[in-house]
Amino acid sequence: MWFSKILSYLRLARAYIKLNWSMQMEYRGAFVSQALAMFLNNGTWLAFWMLFFSRFPVIKGWEQADVVTLWAISAAGFGLGNAFCWNLHNLAAMVSRGELDVWMLYPRSLIPHLALGKMSATAIGDLAFGYFIYIVMVRPDLQHFLLFNLLVVAVAVVFIGFNLWRGSLAFYFGQAEVLSEQWFFAMITFSTYPNCLFDGWMKVVLYTLIPAGFVSGLPVEALRDFDFSAAAFTWLGALAVLISGAASFELGLRRYQSGNLLGMRS
Amino acid sequence: MKPLKNAVETDNLRKVFEIKQGLLRRNAKTVVAVEGISLTVPAGQSVAFIGPNGAGKSTTIKMLTGILKPSSGTASVLGLDPWKQRSKLVHQIGAVFGQRSQLWLHLPPSDSFDLLAEIYGIPKNDYRKRKALLVERFDLGRFLSTPVRKLSLGERMRAEIAASLLHRPQLLLLDEPTIGVDVIARQNLRDLVCEWNREEGVTVFLTSHDTGDIESVADRVIVINHGRVVLDDSLSGVSANTLIEGKPAGLEEIIAHLFNSAASLTMQNCISPS
């Protein structure tokens, strides 16, 4: 029963990826330029950190290789989580504009169906960037590469759950697009800074309210020390963020007020 | 499976929205969108559900499809509770919102159909036959491979209705399906809906501001205003039994009269029945 349900969702995911890919290819130039722009944008930030670590080689135990790993895992995880689940990134706007109506008329679980509904070209650029720098700059052995893949999926789960958290705000506050966006930028900022820079109460915040610790902290430790317990905690944290995100969405859905704006699916 | 007697049953269905204002002192104001609607729609019937803007039509339809949770009262659609059994229910209903598309703007209808078949889990062979039938009957062949953004509104709405029939729904909810569509395309859409209602026994629940839609498609007319039912009669009964100021009136005139009436007035108060 569960197995056939999972298979059915995998088939649906394949169908959505095929459809979204066709749509991206309808505007091939825009797709390539967006993906490339994101690749270059990430590259600029990484170059800044490389320069920084060339002046100060060790900061609280972190070296240049760690910051490359950090950027690889956060870009690839963010890219994977958003490339195929882009609707969740815009969830707050969708809720406040009443755009869930169409999705609620299909016989599929709302969260996975909504999540799969839209792809992002820029997030594909992030995904490619993460893998590119990890393979080219870190040059991992097979074991590290396999662990990297496992952690990229966990980080993607963190971002999916986090998007559900911030998107669900719109159910409770009505108009929550700005708040949701600010929360997103805080998450991105802390996910791309070395986790060693933060201590005390800030560390608590980074494993709760802004769960960037599961992106820029534990996964980097897991890869640097080849530490399975850090990898396991990353996964536990990712699942906790996802489950709490799904719960806040489902609870919020009871307060959904729909809307009457004109709309097309694009 | 025993065939259902009634496609839709509601009892005192109500929806209240709460609006809060003020920064420090929060004043809560309630807006009653639907005020105790009780209806029974037999399976296979074509019903026009009409009312002025803000009367509560769309809110009622959204409660019947499980999109909105009723504040109180009960609803049963095809024997299911829409809010609690939404996923099961939507397998058996088709919905067309004239203002919201279920087709992908940048892709041809054919691709959207393929995806919908996957969403509804329609077996491949069934889907092929059904698609061929709908393409022929809705005359979609010419533009099946053209991106939706390049279609005329009439073509898009034909494709929308065909898409909503792919999974053989028992109930078709049409919310202003002819909005913005030209006269010929509008008549074409009405004929197609009637054909499907006759041939497959699909129950049709139509909202529209166009009396032509109502006269062509519906067997029964339900008018709501301020969230309450103010008229519920067969289409022929509405015109035959109703006089305005002692004179017979057309459907459009009767509806306009009802729309202009205060919420507390009943049919007897505002229109003299013959």
Side-chain angles (χ1 to χ4, degrees):
Chain A
M1 172 89 178
W2 273 104
F3 184 67
S4 66
K5 204 165 185 180
I6 289 170
L7 268 184
S8 143
Y9 273 94
L10 286 176
R11 275 200 304 272
L12 183 66
R14 189 184 61 188
Y16 263 113
I17 290 169
K18 195 176 146 200
L19 186 96
N20 279 310
W21 185 255
S22 310
M23 209 151 56
Q24 299 283 358
M25 288 305 105
E26 175 86 6
Y27 299 102
R28 196 177 46 183
F31 171 79
V32 173
S33 57
Q34 283 174 52
L36 201 63
M38 192 44 76
F39 201 95
L40 293 173
N41 177 55
N42 290 341
T44 312
W45 276 102
L46 184 64
F48 160 77
W49 280 110
M50 300 287 282
L51 203 68
F52 182 87
F53 273 91
S54 66
R55 294 286 303 276
F56 310 98
V58 182
I59 297 172
K60 289 190 176 178
W62 273 54
E63 296 171 13
Q64 206 174 55
D66 296 323
V67 92
V68 175
T69 305
L70 160 67
W71 269 83
I73 194 110
S74 57
F78 174 87
L80 183 66
N82 286 284
F84 304 106
C85 301
W86 189 240
N87 266 337
L88 297 186
H89 179 79
N90 301 312
L91 188 58
M94 291 180 81
V95 172
S96 54
R97 288 180 202 152
E99 289 175 6
L100 298 189
D101 294 12
V102 172
W103 299 94
M104 291 175 83
L105 290 171
Y106 294 128
R108 293 285 182 164
S109 298
L110 188 56
I111 294 175
H113 190 202
L114 182 67
L116 290 169
K118 200 168 187 181
M119 259 168 77
S120 158
T122 54
I124 288 176
D126 286 314
L127 180 61
F129 176 82
Y131 271 90
F132 177 77
I133 61 166
Y134 193 66
I135 292 167
V136 172
M137 296 175 75
V138 178
R139 297 185 183 186
D141 56 24
L142 183 64
Q143 285 168 322
H144 276 85
F145 185 67
L146 291 176
L147 185 61
F148 177 77
N149 284 303
L150 198 71
L151 290 164
V152 165
V153 178
V155 171
V157 171
V158 173
F159 277 108
I160 290 169
F162 178 71
N163 283 342
L164 285 168
W165 278 10
R166 62 189 186 90
S168 299
L169 287 174
F171 289 123
Y172 304 96
F173 296 111
Q175 185 74 271
E177 286 165 64
V178 174
L179 182 60
S180 167
E181 203 174 82
Q182 295 303 325
W183 203 4
F184 167 72
F185 286 132
M187 176 73 173
I188 292 300
T189 303
F190 288 112
S191 296
T192 49
Y193 268 69
N195 197 253
C196 62
L197 298 176
F198 309 105
D199 288 312
W201 64 270
M202 198 57 210
K203 206 100 179 168
V204 177
V205 170
L206 293 183
Y207 285 96
T208 50
L209 199 60
I210 304 168
F214 299 109
V215 179
S216 59
L218 285 170
V220 178
E221 276 175 40
L223 282 165
R224 184 182 54 204
D225 307 331
F226 203 65
D227 179 355
F228 279 101
S229 61
F233 278 117
T234 304
W235 262 103
L236 279 177
L239 291 175
V241 174
L242 180 68
I243 291 166
S244 53
S248 65
F249 179 88
E250 291 295 341
L251 279 173
L253 195 59
R254 293 159 190 257
R255 306 164 69 107
Y256 178 56
Q257 298 204 348
S258 184
N260 58 3
L261 281 179
L262 297 172
M264 284 295 296
R265 301 178 80 166
S266 58
Chain B
M1 206 170 68
K2 206 174 137 191
L4 272 169
K5 198 174 151 214
N6 293 321
V8 178
E9 287 176 66
T10 68
D11 183 26
N12 215 10
L13 197 63
R14 196 162 184 268
K15 181 70 189 178
V16 179
F17 292 107
E18 195 175 68
I19 300 166
K20 287 182 180 166
Q21 286 171 326
L23 181 63
L24 297 175
R25 284 189 65 183
R26 301 286 281 159
N27 300 318
K29 200 172 88 181
T30 53
V31 175
V32 181
V34 174
E35 179 66 283
I37 285 187
S38 300
L39 290 175
T40 301
V41 178
Q45 195 172 54
S46 268
V47 178
F49 188 63
I50 56 176
N53 292 331
K57 304 182 298 290
S58 296
T59 304
T60 305
I61 287 197
K62 283 170 187 173
M63 285 193 281
L64 295 181
T65 49
I67 290 173
L68 290 176
K69 189 175 187 240
S71 303
S72 62
T74 58
S76 167
V77 179
L78 303 172
L80 300 165
D81 180 325
W83 178 251
K84 291 182 182 154
Q85 296 169 290
R86 177 168 47 83
S87 195
K88 208 168 166 189
L89 172 66
V90 293
H91 246 298
Q92 300 170 54
I93 62 174
V96 176
F97 293 105
Q99 300 177 329
R100 292 259 164 87
S101 179
Q102 60 175 328
L103 303 171
W104 271 257
L105 183 67
H106 299 298
L107 293 175
S110 182
D111 287 2
S112 292
F113 288 2
D114 292 349
L115 182 74
L116 289 169
E118 196 63 62
I119 291 171
Y120 285 102
I122 306 171
K124 278 205 166 65
N125 266 344
D126 277 6
Y127 167 58
R128 265 197 292 272
K129 283 182 202 160
R130 185 74 173 169
K131 184 178 169 185
L133 175 73
L134 289 165
V135 167
E136 187 209 324
R137 297 291 290 280
F138 283 75
D139 194 20
L140 308 178
R142 277 183 304 111
F143 55 85
L144 198 61
S145 304
T146 308
V148 169
R149 67 174 188 277
K150 293 181 182 169
L151 303 184
S152 70
L153 195 53
E155 288 170 337
R156 179 169 80 75
M157 289 315 294
R158 280 207 324 258
E160 291 276 359
I161 296 177
S164 71
L165 291 167
L166 269 177
H167 58 291
R168 298 173 198 274
Q170 293 177 50
L171 171 65
L172 187 60
L173 294 154
L174 303 169
D175 191 1
E176 301 188 37
T178 59
I179 194 166
V181 176
D182 71 48
V183 182
I184 297 165
R186 209 181 299 167
Q187 193 51 48
N188 198 338
L189 284 172
R190 293 166 184 161
D191 293 345
L192 286 164
V193 172
C194 288
E195 272 175 47
W196 235 259
N197 168 249
R198 265 197 315 270
E199 289 172 21
E200 293 202 345
V202 180
T203 307
V204 177
F205 204 85
L206 164 82
T207 75
S208 178
H209 289 295
D210 186 329
T211 47
D213 287 352
I214 300 159
E215 284 169 329
S216 303
V217 174
D219 308 322
R220 174 180 168 194
V221 179
I222 299 170
V223 183
I224 68 164
N225 202 357
H226 301 283
R228 294 171 194 270
V229 174
V230 292
L231 171 71
D232 182 356
D233 203 345
S234 66
L235 181 68
S236 51
V238 173
S239 304
N241 301 334
T242 316
L243 299 175
I244 295 178
E245 291 162 7
K247 292 177 192 161
L251 183 64
E252 190 152 343
E253 213 178 334
I254 295 167
I255 290 169
H257 204 97
L258 284 168
F259 283 12
N260 288 327
S261 309
S264 58
L265 296 179
T266 64
M267 280 292 294
Q268 271 72 17
N269 294 129
C270 66
I271 301 174
S272 323
S274 60

